[in-house]
Amino acid sequence: MLEVKRLRLLRELSSRGTVIAVAEALNYSPSAVSQQLSQLEREVGVPLFQRSGRHLALTATAKYLAAEADDLLSHIERIESGIRRHQGTVSGTVRVAAFQTVMLALLPQVLDRLRTEHPNLRIDVVQHEPETAHFETWARGFDLVIAEEYPGHATVQFSGLDRQPLTRDRIQLAVPAGRPEFDAVATLADAAGLPWVMEPRRAASRHWAEQLCRSAGFEPDVRFETADLQAHVRLIESGNAVALLPGLVHAGRRPELRLVDLPGDPLRSVFTAARSSQGDDPALSAVRAALAAEAAVLAP
């Protein structure tokens, strides 16, 4: 009989592409992954891999098995969720991927709520960029991803992920307060020629911000680049830069900067996504409910 563990390794190889990537994702050694895949090939009795240098290409049989393994893992998740529903208590571990703004503005209150309402529930949180956290959730690296979407920039869609809206926040131009050289900034176009701080180029927020500046008639002078939005705030407050910031950055504090409205009053969407096979899991449902409750408190 085929072992589920080996079938999962095959499915991971199909989605991640290399043995090294599979090993890193599952905390195995590459040699252990290779040994398990070789054992699976012997059990199946037909070739599963075509070796090309250091890479393993999957045969037609291997692709079939990987797809069936995905269905099998989803079915196991549904069974496990059903068992937890019948237990009558919310317990276990939920692995969450979240971006920085949510971790600072929302998660502390969510964790306090869950600790009170469900003391047997454990939440493991990793700060992860939304661009890759979706894939990791689909690949079963996380149970839940909290992600963002900027106007006109749809995120990559993965089949089998159940997406639910969480909140929306306004995006505004943030400029230093109380500094004469920035007092004349009343529109986005007024920020032409000023120093900017933006997220790295791979981020959707960076692409959106650059396009918005270009639509206003200028190329932003990006002198500072960091994914840390708290660093954005400090650079602005200290008079070194301007930036486009979403409202959740200011949650729980009074920003020492000036906010300028943008044309069309753009909104960023924040949402959660989880595998549909875990949609009825009581632990996952509890986390989503707590997120929704705290997001409602923060909503303007």
Side-chain angles (χ1 to χ4, degrees):
M1 181 177 293
L2 300 178
E3 287 194 7
V4 173
K5 180 177 71 173
R6 294 182 184 128
L7 289 172
R8 184 186 178 186
L9 289 175
L10 179 63
R11 190 262 188 187
E12 290 284 340
L13 181 62
S14 174
S15 61
R16 298 183 183 277
T18 67
V19 168
I20 292 177
V22 173
E24 291 176 349
L26 300 182
N27 294 318
Y28 290 165
S29 68
S31 61
V33 173
S34 296
Q35 290 171 7
Q36 290 297 312
L37 290 174
S38 296
Q39 179 62 31
L40 176 63
E41 190 173 46
R42 287 192 291 271
E43 291 172 349
V44 173
V46 297
L48 298 179
F49 313 106
Q50 296 174 338
R51 289 165 177 80
S52 176
R54 296 182 179 181
H55 298 280
L56 290 179
L58 272 62
T59 65
T61 301
K63 293 176 181 178
Y64 162 77
L65 277 177
E68 291 295 322
D70 189 47
D71 291 342
L72 176 62
L73 292 170
S74 295
H75 187 62
I76 290 174
E77 285 183 333
R78 284 191 289 271
I79 292 173
E80 291 173 341
S81 295
I83 292 172
R84 285 189 285 268
R85 285 197 306 275
H86 285 86
Q87 288 175 340
T89 60
V90 177
S91 60
T93 299
V94 177
R95 302 161 298 169
V96 180
F99 59 97
Q100 186 198 48
T101 311
V102 163
M103 290 193 72
L104 294 173
L106 199 58
L107 275 179
Q109 302 92 298
V110 168
L111 294 174
D112 284 344
R113 178 185 289 265
L114 289 171
R115 187 164 50 247
T116 300
E117 296 179 352
H118 306 292
N120 295 322
L121 180 61
R122 171 176 171 147
I123 311 298
D124 291 347
V125 184
V126 175
Q127 182 176 324
H128 212 295
E129 293 303 313
E131 285 79 9
T132 54
H134 272 89
F135 170 81
E136 290 298 333
T137 304
W138 172 80
R140 294 182 170 81
F142 298 107
D143 299 309
L144 183 72
V145 55
I146 309 171
E148 61 181 355
E149 192 169 77
Y150 279 77
H153 285 72
T155 56
V156 177
Q157 300 293 317
F158 288 92
S159 62
L161 286 188
D162 166 38
R163 174 170 161 167
Q164 296 181 8
L166 187 58
T167 189
R168 297 197 297 173
D169 56 351
R170 296 177 68 195
I171 307 171
Q172 295 169 291
L173 172 65
V175 301
R179 294 179 181 267
E181 61 271 34
F182 295 96
D183 286 348
V185 179
T187 68
L188 179 60
D190 294 335
L194 295 177
W196 282 75
V197 55
M198 289 188 179
E199 293 195 57
R201 290 188 179 277
R202 67 180 182 275
S205 60
R206 170 67 174 269
H207 184 260
W208 179 83
E210 288 179 331
Q211 291 298 313
L212 195 68
C213 290
R214 289 165 186 162
S215 69
F218 69 94
E219 189 70 25
D221 178 12
V222 182
R223 301 188 192 179
F224 311 101
E225 185 177 291
T226 173
D228 186 346
L229 293 191
Q230 295 303 299
H232 288 217
V233 172
R234 292 298 299 125
L235 285 167
I236 298 165
E237 290 177 333
S238 60
N240 289 292
V242 300
L244 299 176
L245 294 181
L248 280 181
V249 172
H250 315 301
R253 66 187 298 271
R254 183 183 295 275
E256 298 177 9
L257 44 79
R258 184 166 60 88
L259 298 173
V260 178
D261 290 342
L262 297 171
D265 197 21
L267 299 174
R268 177 184 65 164
S269 298
V270 181
F271 61 93
T272 64
R275 291 182 299 283
S276 301
S277 55
Q278 288 188 301
D280 295 330
D281 187 90
L284 189 62
S285 297
V287 174
R288 278 181 148 172
L291 282 165
E294 294 300 333
V297 172
L298 287 180

